[in-house]
Amino acid sequence: MISVRNKEFLFTPIADYIISAEKVVHVQIGNNAEHALLVLTKTGYSSIPVLDANDRLKGLLSIRTVTDSILGLAHIEYERLPDLKVDEIMKTNIPTIRTTDRFQRGLDLVIDNPFVCVVEEDGTFAGILTRRVILKQFKKYIYSVD
Ligand code: 2BA
């Protein structure tokens, strides 16, 4: 059992656990859906961030979002991919976390999200916090508790 005394780790800053922006695969607003689908398929990630030219977080894009956007009544309209812009189809209502936030908030958020985008105070994209990293830290902690 984790005692109250040992819950301090929940309040450690998430800064050390972030996968930094330069290592995160992303697309930019203005990119078309064909490019986005290529990036998603080639990297194998199911969902990636969308940034603007100033590295600000604008939304998330997944393979499902792209395929949903070209679903016709009878078939998938692949020919529409080059004309669709990422910002027309991305998901914008997404949770974010600050670099200064605590582990506990990260833990709460990755219950329902495989990863959470990390932003600076001014909205600049700083990286992502993944479920994998949070679980690894949690496991490390649990095993070290006497
Ligand atoms: P998914 O793409 O659905 O990946 C689910 C899990 O599968 C990942 O969990 C990871 O354990 C594994 N995985 C998938 N693709 C991988 C790859 N190319 N290399 C190594 N492992 C891979 P998490 O590591 O917790 O990542 C959660 C989610 O965060 C991923 O979901 C993806 O949407 C996003 N993500 C992770 N790393 C990323 C990166 N460098 N760039 C962009 N998005 C990333």
Side-chain angles (χ1 to χ4, degrees):
M1 181 81 98
I2 302 172
S3 72
V4 175
R5 178 176 58 87
N6 288 325
K7 280 184 183 164
E8 275 163 27
F9 87 104
L10 289 172
F11 303 103
T12 56
I14 57 151
D16 290 347
Y17 312 133
I18 298 170
I19 296 177
S20 58
E22 68 273 11
K23 292 186 188 147
V24 177
V25 177
H26 71 273
V27 285
Q28 290 207 305
I29 51 168
N31 284 157
N32 65 31
E34 185 174 39
H35 172 77
L37 190 58
L38 275 172
V39 172
L40 284 161
T41 307
K42 284 263 180 201
T43 58
Y45 292 123
S46 44
S47 179
I48 54 175
V50 182
L51 307 183
D52 70 9
N54 297 316
D55 288 338
R56 278 165 205 271
L57 178 69
K58 292 293 163 185
L60 283 185
L61 198 76
S62 65
I63 293 198
R64 183 173 175 190
T65 319
V66 177
T67 45
D68 262 358
S69 71
I70 54 167
L71 268 191
L73 284 180
H75 68 286
I76 299 176
E77 299 166 349
Y78 290 106
E79 64 282 2
R80 293 181 51 217
L81 283 174
D83 299 323
L84 273 175
K85 293 279 183 272
V86 159
D87 34 309
E88 294 173 51
I89 58 174
M90 67 188 180
K91 190 175 167 200
T92 52
N93 182 18
I94 55 168
T96 56
I97 190 167
R98 296 272 175 89
T99 41
T100 48
D101 276 338
R102 308 283 148 176
F103 188 91
Q104 185 167 27
R105 180 163 155 77
L107 183 61
D108 288 346
L109 285 169
V110 300
I111 289 172
D112 289 329
N113 304 280
F115 72 102
V116 188
C117 289
V118 187
V119 290
E120 306 282 5
E121 295 284 320
D122 65 356
T124 307
F125 179 66
I128 59 174
L129 186 66
T130 64
R131 192 177 274 167
R132 181 168 192 269
V133 168
I134 288 280
L135 280 178
K136 272 178 83 174
Q137 289 305 319
F138 198 65
K139 177 180 162 185
K140 205 161 121 187
Y141 174 77
I142 299 271
Y143 287 178
S144 72
V145 176
D146 40 88

